[in-house]
């Protein structure tokens, strides 16, 4: 949890960065980051201000609507403030939003009008006695820009409202129509294609082009661009004519305006996730860009009664789709060692959602990349998914950089994280590698460990056979042992037909290993046999471990900071993820094994001394198979101390102190039976 002082510092930095973005985007029509990244910063600011309301100041971006009036247009005050909409990023946040409304109005119904959140320029059109009179941009919400002449050129804007039985009450006096000016995707592409042919700079996106067009002083230029106005609200002196937002959409269409045909009334909060999924699935096929859904109470009387908080109405939220970019903080930079001995830096993030998944780490590739982007621990960065799969750091937001920030010293980090290993970087390479150790030697050590008795216990795959298989290029990674055929071995020294089959059968018999032995066999740095068992017991599934975060791992007893970082970095290595996928393809499927209904399930054991009928690892296996927990040291939480020959005296003393039940080997076997 962040404290008050740190929150204050963070809020000030966020305000500065957001205002810089907002001025460039809304005043200068320049985009210095994507709107998704900006939304992420604004969302962080909102959450901090909710946590520390005394830190909210009048100049906070959360307290006003974006934009300023440009000097080229006349300023016009809005008769009714044009409000913004608070963003939410998950269904859980939607539920919390509605819960807050229920506290204010206990009889509120779960009935909502859901519509597309268009990515365009908000505008308000004024009609007097049914005739087009004026058009004003949102501006700061209180005062906008008079763009009457430019909006008039948009063919989808009626100069006179349609008259019918349903609309006659809206044709007298002043009526205000609010909506969004958008540019369709195909039109945007055609404009850019023409500019490319003319050798001109291409426009960034449809939203910026639409906003820039409306702010042109030359109306002939505006008329030459196929803008559209899509309406979503009506402001009139007699709001009793519009009891629901659904009615508003019906009247808008009758009056002659374009509306989003995807709008619908939804009953029940639990129906919203389905609509979110459906809309997310079709948004690429829509004529114009959207970045989410607007969810508002259908009852307009309740909507107004619930009022306004800050810059937004309480009774409406905007659900934002998974961002292609977002922002987060770098909590640490750890260095992962790959199969070839290469040292790869990995950023540890404050967990954040990106493109539908929770992201907490990303590769920083090498020392040069860190230097080029000037990435430091404590930085706030924009991240994206390369190819919609791999998270990457785009750039650092230096306005948010802590004052005590220091450049990342790659060499020093290697010394601290791997004090017992020497590294060297060749002039022709971008990476540091373990000194005097070749990739084949690392592979041999990894394979010997994988086949060892404490790991997968592969009979006949000892040191000599491993050396031979690697030297002959039959095995290029651990997974390759599951591809070995008799024809690969029959002509090699040491392998007659009988021994070839024996080795192949021994290897194939390990395709369904126990989860703890498989984890241990992977040779993850700092993960010993006991920790492998603890991880297996905690996650019970290899995929869950592979996708685990630092925060999850640190909660497991016996897993400290260094070990958690080592586990995370191992699974972030592209070589390691490729190895796991290859093992899966070859049929290797580790399983968590545990006897159901065992009387020792959940009991904690410590084993000391030499057992006659079991090795230490076999004893641990039996305990875990029966649902027990293995510990290294005796504590007040230890249920049993199993003693063999020459037990540790300290463990005996502690067991007596904590009144821990002590078992000899015979009693241990009886308990298990």
């Amino acid at each position: 949890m962040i404290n008050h002082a740190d929150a204050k510092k963070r809020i000030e930095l966020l305000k500065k960065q957001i205002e810089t973005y907002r001025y460039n985007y809304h005043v200068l029509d320049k985009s210095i980051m994507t709107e998704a990244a900006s939304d992420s910063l604004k969302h962080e600011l909102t959450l901090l201000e909710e946590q520390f309301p005394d830190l909210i100041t009048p100049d906070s971006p959360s307290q006003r609507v974006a934009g300023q009036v440009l000097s080229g247009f006349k300023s016009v005050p809005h008769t009714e403030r044009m409000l913004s909409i608070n963003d939410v990023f998950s269904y859980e946040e939607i539920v919390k939003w509605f819960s807050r409304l229920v506290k204010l109005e206990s009889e509120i119904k779960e009935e909502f009008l859901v519509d597309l959140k268009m990515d365009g320029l908000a505008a308000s059109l004024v009609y007097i006695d049914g005739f087009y009179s004026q058009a004003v941009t949102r501006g700061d919400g209180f005062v906008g820009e008079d763009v009457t002449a430019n909006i008039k050129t948009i063919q989808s804007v009626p100069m006179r409202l349609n008259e019918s039985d349903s609309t006659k009450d809206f044709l007298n006096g002043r009526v205000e129509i609010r909506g969004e000016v958008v540019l369709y995707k195909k039109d945007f592409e055609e404009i850019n294609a023409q500019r490319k042919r003319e050798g001109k700079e291409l426009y960034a996106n449809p939203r910026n082009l639409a906003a820039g067009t409306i702010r042109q002083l030359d109306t002939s230029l505006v008329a030459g661009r196929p803008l559209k106005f899509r309406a979503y609200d009506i402001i009139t002196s007699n709001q009793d004519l519009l009891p629901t937002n659904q009615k508003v959409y019906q009247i808008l269409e009758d009056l002659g305006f374009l509306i989003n045909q995807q709008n619908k009334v939804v009953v029940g909060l639990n129906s919203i996730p389905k609509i979110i999924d459906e809309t997310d699935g079709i948004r690429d096929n829509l004529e114009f860009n959207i970045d989410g859904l607007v969810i508002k109470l259908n009852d307009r009387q309740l909507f107004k009664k619930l009022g306004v908080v800050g810059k937004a109405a309480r009774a409406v939220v905007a659900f934002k789709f998974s961002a292609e970019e977002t922002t987060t903080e770098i909590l640490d930079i750890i260095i992962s060692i790959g199969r070839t001995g290469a040292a790869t830096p990995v950023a540890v993030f404050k967990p954040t959602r990106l493109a539908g998944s929770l992201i907490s780490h990303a590769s920083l590739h090498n020392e040069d990349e860190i230097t080029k982007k000037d990435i430091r621990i404590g930085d706030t960065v924009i991240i994206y998914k390369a190819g919609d799969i791999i998270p990457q750091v785009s750039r650092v937001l230096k306005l948010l950089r802590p004052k005590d920030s220091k450049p990342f010293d790659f060499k020093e980090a290697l010394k601290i994280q791997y004090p017992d290993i020497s590294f060297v970087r060749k002039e022709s390479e971008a990476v540091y590698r373990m000194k005097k150790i070749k990739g084949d030697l690392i592979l041999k050590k990894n394979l010997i460990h994988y086949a060892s008795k404490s790991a997968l216990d592969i009979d006949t795959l000892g040191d000599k056979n491993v050396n031979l298989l690697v030297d002959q290029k039959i095995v290029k990674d651990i997974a390759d042992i599951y591809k070995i055929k008799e024809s690969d071995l029959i002509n090699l020294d040491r392998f007659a037909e009988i021994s070839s089959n024996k080795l192949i059968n021994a290897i194939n018999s390990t395709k369904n290993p126990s989860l703890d032995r498989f984890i241990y066999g992977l040779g993850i740095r700092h993960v010993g046999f006991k920790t492998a068992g603890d991880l297996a017991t905690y996650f019970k599934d290899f995929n869950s471990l592979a996708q685990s975060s630092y925060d999850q791992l640190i909660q497991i007893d016996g897993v400290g900071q260094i070990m958690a970082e080592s586990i995370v970095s191992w699974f972030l290595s592209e070589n390691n993820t490729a190895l796991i996928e290859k093992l899966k393809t070859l049929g290797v499927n580790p399983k968590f094994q545990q006897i159901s209904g065992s009387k020792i399930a959940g009991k904690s054991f410590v084993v000391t001394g030499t057992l006659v009928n079991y090795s230490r690892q076999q004893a641990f296996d039996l305990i875990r198979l029966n649902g027990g927990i293995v510990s290294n040291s005796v504590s007040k939480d230890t249920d049993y101390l199993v003693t063999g020959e020459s037990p540790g005296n300290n463990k005996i003393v502690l067991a007596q102190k904590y009144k821990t039940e002590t078992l000899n080997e015979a009693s241990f076997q009886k308990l298990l039976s």
Side-chain angles (χ1 to χ4, degrees):
M1 292 289 288
I2 191 170
N3 60 41
H4 191 277
D6 289 341
K8 185 176 181 180
K9 292 177 185 176
R10 183 68 177 171
I11 284 173
E12 288 303 315
L13 290 171
L14 285 168
K15 288 195 295 188
K16 188 175 181 181
Q17 179 68 63
I18 293 168
E19 283 302 323
T20 300
Y21 163 77
R22 289 165 83 96
Y23 178 75
N24 277 274
Y25 189 70
H26 294 285
V27 178
L28 303 181
D29 285 330
K30 286 169 52 182
S31 183
I32 62 173
M33 69 176 77
T34 63
E35 189 170 359
S38 170
D39 286 341
S40 177
L41 295 177
K42 288 185 284 186
H43 190 57
E44 180 185 354
L45 176 64
T46 300
L47 293 177
L48 282 173
E49 288 182 339
E50 285 179 359
Q51 189 176 350
F52 300 98
D54 62 302
L55 296 179
I56 300 175
T57 58
D59 67 333
S60 173
S62 67
Q63 301 303 298
R64 69 178 181 89
V65 179
Q68 295 181 15
V69 178
L70 296 178
S71 59
F73 293 95
K74 177 184 174 183
S75 298
V76 178
H78 292 291
T79 55
E80 185 171 316
R81 184 183 176 190
M82 287 191 75
L83 296 165
S84 188
I85 304 176
N86 285 330
D87 295 334
V88 293
F89 294 84
S90 67
Y91 176 63
E92 290 71 25
E93 288 189 77
I94 295 173
V95 172
K96 289 179 181 177
W97 159 71
F98 188 73
S99 298
R100 292 193 294 269
L101 300 187
V102 172
K103 289 180 181 178
L104 296 171
E105 291 290 336
S106 59
E107 300 302 317
I108 197 169
K109 294 181 180 178
E110 292 186 19
E111 183 175 290
F112 313 94
L113 191 287
V114 180
D115 190 17
L116 305 176
K117 187 178 184 301
M118 295 172 281
D119 192 17
L121 177 74
S124 181
L125 281 51
V126 177
Y127 288 78
I128 303 295
D129 295 332
F131 291 89
Y132 177 79
S133 174
Q134 189 178 50
V136 184
T137 64
R138 182 199 299 275
D140 65 0
F142 295 100
V143 177
E145 306 152 348
D146 189 330
V147 290
T148 305
N150 286 347
I151 294 290
K152 191 175 182 178
T153 68
I154 299 175
Q155 294 298 313
S156 60
V157 172
M159 293 297 98
R160 182 177 181 177
L161 300 176
N162 290 343
E163 184 174 354
S164 66
D165 288 342
S166 66
T167 65
K168 60 184 179 181
D169 292 326
F170 299 90
L171 302 181
N172 297 314
R174 187 182 191 278
V175 172
E176 196 173 330
I177 308 297
R178 292 181 173 178
E180 203 95 355
V181 177
V182 298
L183 181 66
Y184 286 2
K185 297 173 187 176
K186 65 178 182 62
D187 295 323
F188 174 75
E189 290 167 1
E190 288 175 6
I191 291 170
N192 260 349
Q194 180 60 35
R195 290 181 71 82
K196 186 176 182 179
R197 287 191 291 269
E198 296 170 356
K200 296 179 180 178
E201 184 180 353
L202 302 185
Y203 293 116
N205 55 63
R207 191 267 170 206
N208 278 17
L209 181 53
T213 300
I214 290 300
R215 291 187 173 104
Q216 291 289 332
L217 295 175
D218 182 355
T219 56
S220 63
L221 188 151
V222 182
R225 290 180 181 161
L227 300 175
K228 300 288 191 297
F229 178 81
R230 304 182 73 90
Y232 56 72
D233 200 6
I234 302 174
I235 307 298
T236 180
S237 58
N238 186 3
Q239 287 294 330
D240 291 339
L241 297 171
L242 301 167
T244 66
N245 281 305
Q246 182 182 30
K247 181 69 172 178
V248 168
Y249 276 70
Q250 292 170 355
I251 297 298
L252 282 170
E253 197 165 23
D254 291 345
L255 287 170
F257 289 95
L258 272 176
I259 63 168
N260 297 328
Q261 297 298 325
Q262 295 82 2
N263 81 85
K264 61 183 68 178
V265 173
V266 177
V267 177
L269 273 177
N270 57 3
S271 300
I272 289 178
K274 182 181 178 183
I275 295 174
I276 290 172
D277 290 342
E278 289 174 350
T279 308
D280 197 13
I282 66 165
R283 61 173 167 151
D284 288 341
N285 299 322
L286 293 173
E287 294 179 300
F288 49 89
N289 286 337
I290 65 171
D291 57 3
L293 289 172
V294 175
I295 304 166
K296 50 189 171 183
L297 288 187
N298 194 30
D299 188 323
R300 284 174 70 88
Q301 185 177 354
L302 261 178
F303 191 106
K304 187 172 184 180
K305 186 177 180 181
L306 285 163
V308 175
V309 55
K311 65 185 177 68
R314 280 195 176 94
V316 57
V317 289
F319 175 86
K320 288 295 191 81
F321 290 127
S322 298
E324 294 177 0
E325 284 191 355
T326 189
T327 59
T328 187
E329 292 178 67
I330 294 182
L331 304 178
D332 199 1
I333 297 175
I334 57 180
I335 299 176
S336 170
I337 307 299
R339 182 183 60 82
T340 63
T344 302
V346 176
V348 180
F349 298 138
K350 183 178 180 181
T352 186
R353 290 212 163 267
L354 176 64
S357 56
L358 191 66
I359 305 298
S360 56
H361 306 85
S363 171
L364 298 179
H365 305 295
N366 52 55
E367 181 184 31
D368 291 346
E369 182 77 0
I370 293 175
T371 302
K372 177 183 174 183
K373 294 181 178 178
D374 190 17
I375 298 170
R376 307 181 184 185
I377 296 171
D379 275 344
T380 298
V381 293
I382 295 176
I383 61 172
Y384 68 99
K385 276 194 174 180
D388 293 327
I389 299 172
I390 304 168
Q392 302 281 344
V393 173
S394 171
R395 63 188 177 89
V396 176
L397 298 177
K398 293 185 180 178
L399 282 175
L400 297 177
R401 174 169 283 168
K403 291 182 179 179
D404 59 351
S405 170
K406 295 179 181 178
F408 184 74
D409 189 327
F410 200 93
K411 291 180 181 178
E412 185 63 23
L414 282 173
K415 290 179 183 178
I416 293 171
Q417 294 183 34
Y418 299 96
D420 53 340
I421 300 175
S422 296
F423 294 85
V424 63
R425 176 182 173 180
K426 295 181 180 179
E427 289 185 10
S428 59
E429 294 187 354
V431 299
Y432 282 86
R433 297 184 188 277
M434 295 168 65
K435 196 173 183 180
K436 297 180 181 178
I437 297 182
K438 296 180 180 179
D440 281 355
L441 181 55
I442 296 173
L443 173 58
K444 289 175 182 178
K445 289 185 176 181
N446 288 343
L447 191 48
I448 289 168
H449 175 77
Y450 184 81
S452 67
K453 287 188 176 295
S454 297
L456 274 74
D457 193 13
I458 303 176
D459 188 28
T460 73
L461 191 57
D463 295 15
K464 292 181 179 179
N465 283 345
V466 165
N467 289 336
L468 185 60
L469 292 171
V470 174
D471 290 340
Q472 293 297 319
K473 307 300 180 185
I474 294 171
V475 171
K476 296 177 182 178
D477 60 30
I478 288 174
D480 279 345
I481 64 172
Y482 295 99
K483 295 168 63 179
I484 295 174
K485 304 184 295 293
E486 184 180 337
S487 57
D488 295 324
L489 306 175
I490 199 69
N491 294 321
L492 298 181
D493 291 341
R494 299 174 50 80
F495 286 101
E497 183 178 344
I498 295 175
S499 58
S500 297
N501 287 330
K502 186 176 181 182
L503 174 61
I504 292 170
N505 291 335
I507 291 171
N508 288 335
S509 70
T510 65
K511 283 191 173 182
N512 296 109
S514 64
L515 181 57
D516 55 341
R517 285 178 172 269
F518 181 72
I519 294 169
Y520 178 66
L522 292 175
I524 302 171
R525 187 173 170 82
H526 301 301
V527 175
F529 188 82
K530 178 191 175 300
T531 301
D534 293 340
L535 293 171
T537 302
Y538 183 87
F539 289 104
K540 296 181 174 59
D541 173 77
F542 186 76
N543 288 335
S544 298
L545 169 62
Q547 296 166 13
S548 63
S549 67
Y550 172 87
D551 288 341
Q552 278 180 290
L553 291 163
I554 206 73
Q555 300 299 319
I556 302 172
D557 286 343
V559 176
Q561 176 186 346
I562 293 174
M563 191 184 295
E565 290 179 344
S566 178
I567 295 167
V568 167
S569 65
W570 194 93
F571 283 106
L572 280 170
S573 165
E574 293 180 12
N575 285 332
N576 293 336
T577 53
L579 172 65
I580 295 301
E581 286 304 313
K582 188 174 179 180
L583 285 166
K584 287 180 183 177
T585 302
L586 292 169
V588 179
N589 182 26
K591 295 181 180 294
F592 177 68
Q593 299 173 352
Q594 185 171 303
I595 297 172
S596 60
S598 169
K599 56 188 173 184
I600 71 166
K603 301 294 184 181
S604 176
F605 287 77
V606 173
V607 179
T608 182
T610 303
L611 301 176
V612 175
N613 296 308
Y614 309 104
S615 68
R616 183 67 62 91
Q617 285 74 26
Q618 287 173 331
F620 289 170
D621 282 348
L622 281 170
I623 292 167
R624 292 198 180 99
L625 185 62
N626 284 273
I629 302 165
V630 177
S631 298
N632 282 331
S633 57
V634 177
S635 70
K636 60 182 179 62
D637 296 320
T638 304
D639 295 295
Y640 298 103
L641 174 65
V642 180
T643 60
E645 296 178 6
S646 305
N649 186 60
N650 187 50
K651 288 183 172 65
I652 298 291
V653 171
L654 287 172
Q656 293 171 347
K657 175 183 177 181
Y658 295 122
K659 298 181 180 178
T660 301
E661 186 172 350
T662 301
L663 305 173
N664 58 24
E665 188 169 348
S667 300
F668 175 57
Q669 288 179 302
K670 185 177 180 181
L671 181 65
L672 292 177
S673 65

